[in-house]
Amino acid sequence: MTAPHPSCLACGGDDLEPWAEATDLEYFTVSETFAYLRCTACKSLSISPVPADRLAEIYPSDYYSYDAGAQQSLAQRVKAFFDRRFFSAATRSIPGASLAALDVGGGAGQQLDALRDADERVTHTAVVDLDEGAQRLA
């Protein structure tokens, strides 16, 4: 029996091309390698297969994205600096007096904080996360 052909999680398209393979090198919660596929239509990345039933295992309660308000380590401060720099460059070419952003799977919303810090035009943000604790923090 062959596995079903994956579709893009963003647009539903079925023309996906291999983009990368990766394993968890941060928390080492799982040992297997996951395939990342890029949609040729909308350019979104999808993971295949989606480990929906293992999210609590893959993202432990001390996952950085759930830890809002904790004192940042030097490495986290350096990452935040580069995040702001990246977001500033990424939004520079987007026209408009105000911008809105959505972060799917964004934990407590730190990336959206960095985005707002990088571009004062970002006036509305929303984060969606399956983890109820992260939702409360966001």
Tab-separated table of all heavy atoms in Angstrom, residues 55 59 63 65-66 102-110 126-138:
chain	number	residue	atom	x	y	z
A	55	LEU	N	2.602	16.278	18.739
A	55	LEU	CA	3.058	17.645	18.968
A	55	LEU	C	3.535	17.873	20.399
A	55	LEU	O	4.526	18.576	20.622
A	55	LEU	CB	1.961	18.639	18.601
A	55	LEU	CG	1.621	18.692	17.114
A	55	LEU	CD1	0.516	19.698	16.859
A	55	LEU	CD2	2.840	19.003	16.272
A	59	TYR	N	7.227	19.271	20.876
A	59	TYR	CA	7.335	20.599	21.474
A	59	TYR	C	7.077	20.489	22.979
A	59	TYR	O	5.950	20.645	23.430
A	59	TYR	CB	6.335	21.572	20.838
A	59	TYR	CG	6.570	21.752	19.356
A	59	TYR	CD1	5.759	21.137	18.422
A	59	TYR	CD2	7.628	22.540	18.902
A	59	TYR	CE1	5.986	21.303	17.057
A	59	TYR	CE2	7.855	22.701	17.555
A	59	TYR	CZ	7.033	22.084	16.630
A	59	TYR	OH	7.260	22.250	15.294
A	63	TYR	N	9.683	24.463	25.649
A	63	TYR	CA	10.015	24.952	24.318
A	63	TYR	C	10.063	26.479	24.336
A	63	TYR	O	9.188	27.127	24.909
A	63	TYR	CB	8.977	24.446	23.312
A	63	TYR	CG	9.312	24.734	21.874
A	63	TYR	CD1	10.403	24.126	21.260
A	63	TYR	CD2	8.541	25.595	21.120
A	63	TYR	CE1	10.707	24.379	19.938
A	63	TYR	CE2	8.833	25.861	19.795
A	63	TYR	CZ	9.925	25.254	19.208
A	63	TYR	OH	10.228	25.515	17.895
A	65	SER	N	9.364	28.891	22.498
A	65	SER	CA	8.252	29.676	21.993
A	65	SER	C	7.112	29.786	23.004
A	65	SER	O	6.234	30.633	22.878
A	65	SER	CB	7.735	29.055	20.697
A	65	SER	OG	6.807	29.904	20.082
A	66	TYR	N	7.124	28.923	24.040
A	66	TYR	CA	6.081	28.959	25.062
A	66	TYR	C	6.528	29.744	26.286
A	66	TYR	O	5.797	29.883	27.246
A	66	TYR	CB	5.727	27.550	25.529
A	66	TYR	CG	5.204	26.631	24.444
A	66	TYR	CD1	5.363	25.268	24.555
A	66	TYR	CD2	4.554	27.121	23.325
A	66	TYR	CE1	4.877	24.409	23.578
A	66	TYR	CE2	4.077	26.273	22.344
A	66	TYR	CZ	4.241	24.921	22.479
A	66	TYR	OH	3.767	24.089	21.523
A	102	LEU	N	0.000	37.361	10.789
A	102	LEU	CA	-0.520	36.168	11.431
A	102	LEU	C	0.622	35.177	11.567
A	102	LEU	O	1.345	34.921	10.602
A	102	LEU	CB	-1.642	35.549	10.592
A	102	LEU	CG	-2.117	34.153	10.985
A	102	LEU	CD1	-2.798	34.190	12.349
A	102	LEU	CD2	-3.062	33.605	9.923
A	103	ASP	N	0.810	34.615	12.751
A	103	ASP	CA	1.827	33.595	12.981
A	103	ASP	C	1.111	32.306	13.376
A	103	ASP	O	0.520	32.215	14.450
A	103	ASP	CB	2.781	34.039	14.096
A	103	ASP	CG	3.980	33.106	14.246
A	103	ASP	OD1	4.000	32.026	13.608
A	103	ASP	OD2	4.893	33.462	15.009
A	104	VAL	N	1.134	31.329	12.486
A	104	VAL	CA	0.508	30.035	12.748
A	104	VAL	C	1.539	29.143	13.418
A	104	VAL	O	2.627	28.941	12.901
A	104	VAL	CB	-0.004	29.396	11.443
A	104	VAL	CG1	-0.608	28.033	11.717
A	104	VAL	CG2	-1.011	30.318	10.764
A	105	GLY	N	1.192	28.650	14.610
A	105	GLY	CA	2.124	27.850	15.391
A	105	GLY	C	3.130	28.727	16.098
A	105	GLY	O	4.254	28.320	16.358
A	106	GLY	N	2.730	29.929	16.434
A	106	GLY	CA	3.643	30.933	16.956
A	106	GLY	C	3.879	30.922	18.451
A	106	GLY	O	4.470	31.868	18.969
A	107	GLY	N	3.410	29.907	19.155
A	107	GLY	CA	3.665	29.844	20.589
A	107	GLY	C	3.158	31.075	21.296
A	107	GLY	O	2.008	31.485	21.127
A	108	ALA	N	4.006	31.688	22.090
A	108	ALA	CA	3.622	32.854	22.881
A	108	ALA	C	3.761	34.162	22.105
A	108	ALA	O	3.522	35.224	22.661
A	108	ALA	CB	4.449	32.911	24.162
A	109	GLY	N	4.151	34.106	20.846
A	109	GLY	CA	4.156	35.295	20.002
A	109	GLY	C	5.451	36.080	19.937
A	109	GLY	O	5.449	37.228	19.491
A	110	GLN	N	6.581	35.497	20.335
A	110	GLN	CA	7.840	36.241	20.322
A	110	GLN	C	8.226	36.727	18.925
A	110	GLN	O	8.772	37.822	18.782
A	110	GLN	CB	9.000	35.403	20.889
A	110	GLN	CG	8.950	35.195	22.359
A	110	GLN	CD	8.281	33.881	22.719
A	110	GLN	OE1	7.447	33.368	21.985
A	110	GLN	NE2	8.622	33.334	23.859
A	126	ALA	N	-1.714	38.569	15.158
A	126	ALA	CA	-2.491	37.475	15.742
A	126	ALA	C	-1.638	36.220	15.690
A	126	ALA	O	-0.897	35.995	14.729
A	126	ALA	CB	-3.788	37.259	14.973
A	127	VAL	N	-1.730	35.432	16.742
A	127	VAL	CA	-1.015	34.160	16.791
A	127	VAL	C	-2.029	33.047	16.990
A	127	VAL	O	-3.012	33.207	17.723
A	127	VAL	CB	0.067	34.165	17.911
A	127	VAL	CG1	-0.554	34.283	19.273
A	127	VAL	CG2	0.949	32.929	17.830
A	128	VAL	N	-1.805	31.948	16.294
A	128	VAL	CA	-2.635	30.759	16.416
A	128	VAL	C	-1.710	29.629	16.834
A	128	VAL	O	-0.660	29.419	16.213
A	128	VAL	CB	-3.310	30.407	15.070
A	128	VAL	CG1	-4.110	29.127	15.182
A	128	VAL	CG2	-4.173	31.556	14.585
A	129	ASP	N	-2.080	28.935	17.893
A	129	ASP	CA	-1.270	27.807	18.338
A	129	ASP	C	-2.189	26.776	18.969
A	129	ASP	O	-3.162	27.142	19.640
A	129	ASP	CB	-0.214	28.255	19.348
A	129	ASP	CG	0.929	27.250	19.439
A	129	ASP	OD1	0.720	26.146	19.970
A	129	ASP	OD2	2.020	27.574	18.942
A	130	LEU	N	-1.891	25.510	18.744
A	130	LEU	CA	-2.708	24.432	19.306
A	130	LEU	C	-2.533	24.298	20.809
A	130	LEU	O	-3.412	23.793	21.493
A	130	LEU	CB	-2.349	23.096	18.636
A	130	LEU	CG	-2.650	22.996	17.151
A	130	LEU	CD1	-2.122	21.679	16.593
A	130	LEU	CD2	-4.126	23.136	16.878
A	131	ASP	N	-1.413	24.750	21.328
A	131	ASP	CA	-1.135	24.616	22.752
A	131	ASP	C	-1.891	25.695	23.531
A	131	ASP	O	-1.679	26.883	23.336
A	131	ASP	CB	0.367	24.742	22.997
A	131	ASP	CG	0.718	24.534	24.444
A	131	ASP	OD1	0.714	25.533	25.192
A	131	ASP	OD2	0.986	23.383	24.835
A	132	GLU	N	-2.777	25.275	24.442
A	132	GLU	CA	-3.592	26.232	25.195
A	132	GLU	C	-2.737	27.131	26.080
A	132	GLU	O	-3.043	28.302	26.271
A	132	GLU	CB	-4.634	25.496	26.017
A	132	GLU	CG	-5.713	24.842	25.160
A	132	GLU	CD	-6.701	24.066	26.006
A	132	GLU	OE1	-6.703	24.189	27.243
A	132	GLU	OE2	-7.500	23.322	25.389
A	133	GLY	N	-1.648	26.594	26.637
A	133	GLY	CA	-0.759	27.409	27.447
A	133	GLY	C	-0.115	28.513	26.653
A	133	GLY	O	-0.006	29.656	27.098
A	134	ALA	N	0.281	28.209	25.427
A	134	ALA	CA	0.872	29.217	24.552
A	134	ALA	C	-0.171	30.262	24.185
A	134	ALA	O	0.134	31.456	24.117
A	134	ALA	CB	1.449	28.563	23.294
A	135	GLN	N	-1.392	29.823	23.957
A	135	GLN	CA	-2.452	30.762	23.620
A	135	GLN	C	-2.664	31.772	24.754
A	135	GLN	O	-2.829	32.965	24.510
A	135	GLN	CB	-3.757	30.019	23.351
A	135	GLN	CG	-3.748	29.221	22.076
A	135	GLN	CD	-5.026	28.394	21.909
A	135	GLN	OE1	-5.950	28.480	22.695
A	135	GLN	NE2	-5.055	27.573	20.862
A	136	ARG	N	-2.625	31.311	25.993
A	136	ARG	CA	-2.802	32.220	27.131
A	136	ARG	C	-1.656	33.219	27.209
A	136	ARG	O	-1.857	34.396	27.472
A	136	ARG	CB	-2.907	31.429	28.429
A	136	ARG	CG	-4.273	30.811	28.663
A	136	ARG	CD	-4.406	30.245	30.067
A	136	ARG	NE	-3.448	29.181	30.367
A	136	ARG	CZ	-3.597	27.908	30.022
A	136	ARG	NH1	-4.666	27.529	29.352
A	136	ARG	NH2	-2.685	27.025	30.334
A	137	LEU	N	-0.423	32.755	26.970
A	137	LEU	CA	0.731	33.649	27.019
A	137	LEU	C	0.686	34.691	25.905
A	137	LEU	O	1.064	35.841	26.101
A	137	LEU	CB	2.032	32.855	26.913
A	137	LEU	CG	2.381	31.994	28.125
A	137	LEU	CD1	3.560	31.086	27.796
A	137	LEU	CD2	2.698	32.877	29.323
A	138	ALA	N	0.243	34.280	24.731
A	138	ALA	CA	0.195	35.191	23.579
A	138	ALA	C	-0.838	36.267	23.827
A	138	ALA	O	-0.687	37.396	23.441
A	138	ALA	CB	-0.101	34.429	22.308
